Structures are given as C-alpha cells and as structure tokens.
Amino acid sequence: MTLFYTVWGPGFIVAALLTLRLRRLTWERLRPSLLITPLAIWRAIHAGIVGSADREKSWQAAWGLFAGGHSLTTSLAYLIASRNMTIHFLAIFALSLGAEFAVGQVLGAFVMIGLVALGLPWLQLKPLTATGTTVEQRPPSVLSLPVFPSWRTLLFSWKGWRALLGFIGQETWRFTPTLTAGIGLGGIIFAAGLQSWWIIFAGIVGPGTLASDLINSLVSPAISMAMFLSPVGNLPVIHALFKTDGLSYPGIISFCLASSIHPQDVRIYVRTFGRRQGLILVGLLYGTAVLGGLGSTWIYAMFGFRPHLPPLELMKQLLTTFGSLFK
C-alpha cells in the first residue's frame, strides 16, 4: 500500500498526463514520414513510448501505420517500442527489479530496433495482398482519447481530469488480466526455486559467464513465447526467474523483447506475408531479441557494470544466519 500511494499512484497520474498530451501529437508527427529514415524510426519510437500497454492495441496501431503506407521497418519500430518502452511497462519494471533493469530494457529495445532496421531491407518481405499498401481510412484505436491542445487545458479543467482518471482505469483494466496471470506463474516459479532440482538446473552453466549469457539469451525468447503473456504480464515472471537464478540478466532482457513475437503476433505475420516470409520475419525478430539482450549486457559491461540481485539461495543463507542470531 505504501508503494501504491508513494510511487504507483503518482506514477500512473504522470503516465496518464504524458500520454493524453503527447500520444496524438507524436502520432501526427509520425504519419507523414513514409520513407525509411532515421527520423521516421525515431518518431515511431516516440509514438510507441506513449502508446498503449495493451498487446492488441499496440499491434493495431503498428498495423495501422503499415496499412497507411509506412514501411515495415517503421511499423515494427513502433511495435517494439510500444511493447518494451511504454511508460507503464518501464515504471512497473523499475519497481519490480530496479531502475538499472528498466534502463537496460530500453538499451536492449534500441539494439533490437536498430538490427531490425538493418535486416529488413535484405529480406525484402512483401505482403500477400495489397493490405499493407492501402491508405488508412481511420485513426487507430490508440487515438481514441480526448484532444488537449495545451498543458493548461489538460491540468486545469474538469474535462482533463475526467480524461485522466478514465485513461488510468482503461489501461489498468487492459493489463490487469495478463498481470494477474503473470503473478500466478511467478508464484509457481518462486515455489519451484526452493526445490533442490531447480537449484541444480539454475547452476548448470554458472552465472555471469559468456556461455551462460549466450544460453540465457537463446532460450529465454522461446520461454517467453510459451508463456503466452502480454508485455506487462511478463514482468512478474521475469522477476521470479531472475530472483531464483532461472535466468540471468541478458536472458531477462531477451525474454521481454520477445513480446513482439507473441504467438498471436506470429499468426498475424504468417497471415500477412505467407508462411515462409512470416516465419522468416519471426526468425529475424527472435534473433534480434537474442542480440538485444546480449547487446544491453555488453553496453553495461563497457562501464564495468552488470545488473544483479542476490540469488534466492544466498537470501536463504542470510535469513538462516540472521535467524540463528536471535535464538
């Protein structure tokens, strides 16, 4: 309750204010940029940051860009940003594991977007129909918000505060089911982490080694896809996996980056581009998620730093030690 009143409550208000004021503005700046340019990709990232935390809403917006004539590169840049860099997602991430993890997630997302931008021109993917090139007829559902021309109108009017409270309620309602499922799965993982077989499994390669980082980054996207959760729902799962030594830092980042290849997204890719091209696109996104986790780790390593928390076994030893002092 203390966290809610001191951090979560004000945090949701700030996120709502930024989104209500900037979502339509960033979208309007993005729409004219039909060419594949660094500016267009940067604007797509801006729009993704104030996009919706809901998986389906983010896909609808990304698809709206593609259907409106934008490149697949720009559309996927928006999709990746909206899945990994939205304000609510990063706020909960920082509260769960720490600000260094949230910053690392942003670094990993940038690496992934950059690699996707480099890889897509080589693939030359073409949609099966003209769906991807027709002009968009209506704005996406993420823009179904009141328009506030200034901060003053938003902050000092009843309409502004009604919209703010309504936005918080809608966003919370959208990610609550997947967050609840993630908390349930996280609890199961924490319970498994106390078993002897889990500790053996977690120590197969050893923490912090290059081999461990490679295996974590390669395996974690597959685990993420199998969990079938939306981005916010992934957060309790990675919290549990990290604190039980089930995944190391690069695996955590790759796990979250793989939210752009949610099984329902994979079906959309295959339906849009055909089975062969769709699976090639999935392979590209999988590979960039792997490299995004490794890239974030190596960027931190350049500064001699690696995000880390005490493992569960160490916590058990500390609690046992402290308990013995008070007997």
Side-chain angles (χ1 to χ4, degrees):
M1 293 298 290
T2 301
L3 271 178
F4 180 82
Y5 285 113
T6 60
V7 180
W8 288 62
F12 280 164
I13 292 175
V14 171
L17 288 171
L18 291 172
T19 303
L20 286 169
R21 181 71 180 92
L22 299 176
R23 181 180 287 182
R24 185 174 292 274
L25 179 63
T26 56
W27 189 267
E28 294 300 330
R29 287 177 178 174
L30 171 62
R31 289 182 67 183
S33 307
L34 298 179
L35 299 176
I36 304 177
T37 64
L39 180 59
I41 295 173
W42 185 245
R43 286 176 173 174
I45 294 172
H46 282 183
I49 291 173
V50 291
S52 176
D54 180 68
R55 186 201 66 81
E56 185 175 352
K57 297 289 185 184
S58 68
W59 167 253
Q60 289 174 353
W63 183 248
L65 290 172
F66 190 47
H70 285 266
S71 68
L72 182 59
T73 301
T74 304
S75 302
L76 288 177
Y78 174 90
L79 182 68
I80 294 168
S82 65
R83 297 286 175 84
N84 296 279
M85 300 167 69
T86 55
I87 301 171
H88 282 128
F89 177 85
L90 292 178
I92 298 174
F93 204 160
L95 283 171
S96 176
L97 287 176
E100 65 273 26
F101 286 82
V103 173
Q105 183 65 26
V106 172
L107 294 175
F110 275 125
V111 171
M112 186 177 184
I113 291 170
L115 293 173
V116 167
L118 291 174
L120 281 176
W122 291 90
L123 297 179
Q124 295 293 317
L125 299 178
K126 303 294 182 184
L128 292 179
T129 65
T131 304
T133 58
T134 57
V135 177
E136 184 186 7
Q137 298 299 319
R138 58 178 181 173
S141 56
V142 294
L143 295 184
S144 57
L145 295 173
V147 179
F148 296 95
S150 67
W151 284 107
R152 179 170 181 167
T153 306
L154 176 58
L155 291 171
F156 300 103
S157 68
W158 287 111
K159 179 183 178 182
W161 283 93
R162 281 198 303 269
L164 185 146
L165 295 176
F167 171 81
I168 293 174
Q170 290 174 9
E171 287 293 291
T172 304
W173 177 259
R174 286 169 183 157
F175 65 66
T176 292
T178 187
L179 182 61
T180 302
I183 291 172
L185 287 172
I188 294 173
I189 293 169
F190 270 120
L194 297 173
Q195 305 302 314
S196 58
W197 60 267
W198 182 278
I199 296 173
I200 295 173
F201 159 75
I204 289 176
V205 179
T209 64
L210 178 60
S212 173
D213 288 351
L214 290 173
I215 291 174
N216 271 265
S217 296
L218 286 168
V219 172
S220 58
I223 300 175
S224 177
M225 295 173 68
M227 292 293 183
F228 216 86
L229 294 173
S230 295
V232 176
N234 284 331
L235 295 179
V237 175
I238 63 166
H239 181 91
L241 285 170
F242 188 79
K243 288 194 173 181
T244 58
D245 281 344
L247 287 177
S248 64
Y249 172 75
I252 293 301
I253 302 302
S254 295
F255 187 102
C256 291
L257 292 175
S259 60
S260 60
I261 45 177
H262 186 283
Q264 293 181 0
D265 296 324
V266 172
R267 285 200 292 268
I268 295 173
Y269 298 145
V270 171
R271 187 171 66 243
T272 303
F273 297 99
R275 184 177 182 83
R276 179 177 175 277
Q277 290 190 108
L279 292 179
I280 289 175
L281 177 58
V282 171
L284 173 66
L285 293 173
Y286 193 106
T288 55
V290 171
L291 294 174
L294 292 172
S296 176
T297 306
W298 295 337
I299 291 172
Y300 268 139
M302 292 171 59
F303 299 93
F305 176 69
R306 182 186 177 98
H308 183 68
L309 290 174
L312 188 64
E313 185 62 25
L314 176 59
M315 291 302 297
K316 288 172 59 180
Q317 293 177 6
L318 290 174
L319 290 173
T320 301
T321 302
F322 280 116
S324 63
L325 294 177
F326 293 98
K327 287 183 178 179

